[in-house]
Amino acid sequence: MKKLLIGNEAVAWGLYNGGIGLVSSYPGTPSTEITEFLAKHDDIHSEWAPNEKVAMEAAFGASLAGMRSVCAMKHVGLNVAADPLFTLSYTGVTGGMVVCVADDPAMHSSQNEQDSRHYAIAAKVPMLEPSDSAEAYAFARSAFELSEKYDTPVLLRMCTRIAHSQCVVDIGEREEVPLKEYVKQPSKYIMMPGYAKQRHPIVEERTEKLKALAEDCMYNKVELADNREIGIITSGCSYLYVKEVFGDDVSVLKIGMPNPLPEKMIRDFAAQVKKLYVIEELDPVIENHVKALGIAVTGKSLFSAIGEFSQKTIREAFLKEGYAVKDIPEAQGDAPAVPGRPPMMCSGCPHRGMYYTLVKNHITVLGDIGCYTLGAVAPLNALDSTLCMGASISGIHGFNAARGKETEKKTVAVIGDSTFMHSGMTGLVNIAYNATNSTVIILDNSITGMTGHQQNPTTGYNIKGDPAAKVNLEALCKALGINRVRVVDPYDLKACEEAVLEELAVEEPSVIISRRPCVLLKYVKPKTPLQVDTDKCRGCKKCMKMGCPSISFKEGKARIDKTLCVGCGVCEQLCAFGAIGGKNE
């Protein structure tokens, strides 16, 4: 059956037809859809885990039990899961295990650019890298067999462009794979030093076997052209750009298994072309390997290690090298410029009221990862830092430990409900245990917002939308050692201000839960839009300080777009002249 699929759906189909029994993931753009598509199959176990480490460990447990399993994450999520990954390389697997990781060159929705190939090299596990949806399906499906044959977890590397671009994929039938027998194997699965020392040589032997596989496998292929003036070694999305620029006019070695890389194949290819180039996004992983083989090659001296490539990038680089490269139709070049539209919080976003309160009171705010990070942009400019998942809470403890009473009374940490479940809890334990007078605000919008409304342990629903155990944040924070826990409605500015000032004033750690569901949730019904009485409006623009996209100015007066306004009433509370309110007819 042929279907037009985005890369992530193709991966999901490949894994499903390859016999997956369990998927456990934490959502992270651009990887999220892999798990969402898998969750549509009711004959496998699907779940959102609190974080990537837990997801990988759950997948390991299923593999240990003899089931083919998967966990999926974005590149920074692999940092969180690195601990089990490195030891999984030693234990190996029983049922095949695949780790899908999606990199984000150009940082479309990430806090850094990170090349996950380094993890494959460092952990000594094989990595596959498809170039389109058809390969994403084929590589994902074959990854289980690779995992079981070589007794290793397999990393499947996607990137934003491959994850979200489409092509036709011929999907086959699902392979029903029975559970393998569970056999207790202490020397394989208990990684205390005595056993781990026995496993390390096995890992090295496996790497040598995988190197041999890399020389002759479906993942790496040579495309020799009549013209041998130049040869290009490339992989992933860059392969498609090369083909769009050169067609079949140049010789290409396409790498689909970036770890371990082939040696003989590269030497043979290099010997057949006059000049060798490596084109790869982000870091010079292939280039360094080629240079280590003693082969002259041009790579990062011509192609940047920053951001995404395009057809235009490659064409212009070879023009500078003096090659006659054919023009690219405009439609295949850069997209036409569009007016700048900075990201912002939605109309009626429950975070806006709390951020307004913090800015009004000149509070230093250590932020975290999620849609509430948008509080950093104008006009609120509410945040002072954002590092990684959970770092706001750990960070405020260090911040206050360093500066004491100078900052304790005017600094807070903010974190979302999902991120608090991911990795905020341990930071709060540290605050309670090591005793700084720190105030943490959990922005509880009852969903994992930024990645597209995935459920989490605080929502009371699982990945299927079925009722599930619901973590009580108030009880949890108290159980973690925080005595002062209070809940406020962020639409109530007076209550927010009272809560913030009172908790900052106390001489002990405290938590404020700023709770109101995301306005985009289906069950949240908007109220009647507000309107502006232009006779009362003085044009002071105080209502503009919140950055609500519903409010604009025309002829010196505020106006509210009734197609955007959800009637949250926050702006109404700000207007000192009573100009905002009522129904917008």
Side-chain angles (χ1 to χ4, degrees):
M1 177 176 57
K2 292 184 177 180
K3 297 186 71 172
L4 184 64
L5 302 178
I6 64 169
N8 280 347
E9 186 175 9
V11 169
W13 270 112
L15 296 170
Y16 178 73
N17 285 347
I20 183 178
L22 176 143
V23 57
S24 181
S25 306
Y26 184 81
T29 306
S31 71
T32 308
E33 295 95 342
I34 295 173
T35 306
E36 290 180 324
F37 282 119
L38 283 170
K40 294 179 180 179
H41 298 284
D42 292 332
D43 52 344
I44 65 172
H45 179 92
S46 306
E47 65 181 26
W48 291 125
N51 65 33
E52 297 83 356
K53 180 175 182 290
V54 173
M56 186 175 289
E57 290 161 351
F60 161 72
S63 170
L64 178 67
M67 176 179 281
R68 290 186 170 181
S69 64
V70 169
C71 56
M73 60 201 70
K74 66 183 299 180
H75 60 294
V76 289
L78 191 54
N79 300 337
V80 181
D83 194 8
L85 174 67
F86 277 65
T87 304
L88 267 166
S89 174
Y90 275 43
T91 65
V93 302
T94 301
M97 181 175 167
V98 180
V99 179
C100 301
V101 57
D103 288 3
D104 187 19
M107 293 177 280
H108 295 281
S109 59
S110 305
Q111 63 268 45
N112 68 29
E113 283 185 322
Q114 185 177 300
D115 195 324
S116 294
R117 291 178 296 177
H118 295 295
Y119 275 107
I121 297 168
K124 302 183 178 183
V125 297
M127 171 177 270
L128 307 180
E129 183 179 18
S131 289
D132 57 24
S133 296
E135 281 195 346
Y137 172 81
F139 287 13
R141 179 161 190 163
S142 68
F144 285 124
E145 294 177 4
L146 183 68
S147 172
E148 291 173 358
K149 181 176 181 180
Y150 291 89
D151 192 14
T152 176
V154 175
L155 287 172
L156 180 68
R157 184 195 189 211
M158 301 288 282
C159 69
T160 302
R161 295 293 170 188
I162 303 300
H164 293 152
S165 60
Q166 294 179 309
C167 77
V168 174
V169 181
D170 191 0
I171 57 176
E173 299 295 323
R174 173 171 166 82
E175 176 186 1
E176 295 296 341
V177 180
L179 277 175
K180 291 189 174 183
E181 182 184 4
Y182 172 71
V183 179
K184 187 172 183 175
Q185 302 176 76
S187 62
K188 185 173 188 292
Y189 285 115
I190 300 176
M191 284 302 96
M192 56 188 186
Y195 290 145
K197 289 176 182 176
Q198 297 174 26
R199 293 296 299 179
H200 191 182
I202 295 173
V203 171
E204 300 301 333
E205 291 170 11
R206 181 182 70 206
T207 298
E208 292 304 312
K209 293 176 181 175
L210 287 166
K211 284 181 179 178
L213 172 71
E215 303 289 353
D216 182 20
C217 65
M218 62 178 284
Y219 309 116
N220 304 325
K221 63 180 181 181
V222 173
E223 300 172 356
L224 286 176
D226 294 337
N227 184 350
R228 307 291 173 86
E229 287 293 316
I230 61 174
I232 299 172
I233 304 177
T234 187
S235 66
C237 203
S238 298
Y239 168 76
L240 297 181
Y241 299 146
V242 168
K243 298 301 286 186
E244 289 190 37
V245 171
F246 292 104
D248 296 326
D249 294 339
V250 298
S251 297
V252 175
L253 169 52
K254 178 187 176 300
I255 299 294
M257 179 187 266
N259 189 63
L261 285 163
E263 295 183 1
K264 183 178 182 300
M265 179 180 272
I266 290 174
R267 290 185 190 279
D268 291 347
F269 180 74
Q272 297 181 75
V273 297
K274 287 186 178 179
K275 186 166 184 179
L276 186 64
Y277 293 87
V278 169
I279 302 176
E280 56 187 328
E281 286 182 334
L282 299 178
D283 296 337
V285 171
I286 300 174
E287 180 183 348
N288 289 344
H289 179 77
V290 174
K291 288 179 175 176
L293 297 176
I295 300 171
V297 64
T298 299
K300 290 302 171 187
S301 61
L302 192 61
F303 299 98
S304 174
I306 300 171
E308 288 184 303
F309 293 169
S310 68
Q311 304 90 336
K312 185 178 180 181
T313 306
I314 292 167
R315 180 176 183 273
E316 291 181 348
F318 279 95
L319 284 174
K320 289 179 182 177
E321 288 284 282
Y323 291 103
V325 183
K326 62 186 179 184
D327 200 4
I328 303 171
E330 185 64 26
Q332 297 180 23
D334 288 342
V338 295
R341 194 181 66 173
M344 63 177 65
M345 291 186 289
C346 306
S347 293
C349 175
H351 305 324
R352 185 173 283 108
M354 179 55 76
Y355 276 140
Y356 176 81
T357 300
L358 297 174
V359 171
K360 176 188 175 185
N361 290 280
H362 307 289
I363 306 297
T364 299
V365 181
L366 276 65
D368 222 291
I369 305 293
C371 51
Y372 48 91
T373 311
L374 297 174
V377 302
L380 286 168
N381 300 311
L383 300 184
D384 291 76
S385 71
T386 302
L387 182 63
C388 64
M389 301 281 277
S392 62
I393 300 181
S394 306
I396 192 175
H397 172 74
F399 194 76
N400 286 339
R403 305 192 76 92
K405 294 187 181 299
E406 177 188 345
T407 58
E408 288 175 353
K409 305 301 182 186
K410 57 182 180 182
T411 305
V412 301
V414 295
I415 188 168
D417 51 320
S418 180
T419 313
F420 183 71
M421 287 289 99
H422 179 281
S423 50
M425 290 185 287
T426 46
L428 192 61
V429 170
N430 192 42
I431 285 176
Y433 179 63
N434 286 307
T436 54
N437 293 330
S438 298
T439 298
V440 173
I441 301 175
I442 301 176
L443 301 171
D444 179 8
N445 64 355
S446 306
I447 202 69
T448 309
M450 192 66 153
T451 48
H453 283 188
Q454 288 75 35
Q455 305 294 341
N456 69 62
T458 72
T459 65
Y461 296 94
N462 64 20
I463 194 171
K464 301 279 191 181
D466 297 328
K470 181 177 181 178
V471 172
N472 182 313
L473 283 174
E474 297 94 305
L476 174 61
C477 292
K478 289 182 179 179
L480 295 178
I482 306 298
N483 296 319
R484 294 186 64 90
V485 180
R486 62 193 294 176
V487 179
V488 296
D489 180 354
Y491 279 179
D492 187 338
L493 294 182
K494 182 180 178 183
C496 284
E497 186 161 12
E498 287 177 356
V500 168
L501 296 181
E502 286 176 11
E503 297 310 319
L504 283 172
V506 299
E507 297 292 333
E508 64 175 302
S510 62
V511 170
I512 301 169
I513 300 173
S514 176
R515 175 172 291 149
R516 181 170 276 272
C518 173
V519 71
L520 297 182
L521 286 167
K522 291 180 180 178
Y523 67 80
V524 176
K525 303 301 180 186
K527 298 179 181 177
T528 303
L530 301 180
Q531 63 178 346
V532 177
D533 185 337
T534 52
D535 292 335
K536 294 181 179 179
C537 177
R538 305 288 182 87
C540 68
K541 295 188 176 180
K542 190 172 183 180
C543 54
M544 298 289 286
K545 293 183 178 179
M546 296 185 303
C548 179
S550 298
I551 306 175
S552 60
F553 251 66
K554 185 178 181 181
E555 298 174 350
K557 303 285 186 178
R559 68 174 184 175
I560 294 176
D561 185 338
K562 65 180 182 181
T563 65
L564 295 176
C565 178
V566 298
C568 72
V570 174
C571 60
E572 184 178 11
Q573 297 170 58
L574 286 181
C575 184
F577 309 106
I580 299 177
K583 295 182 179 180
N584 197 337
E585 301 298 341

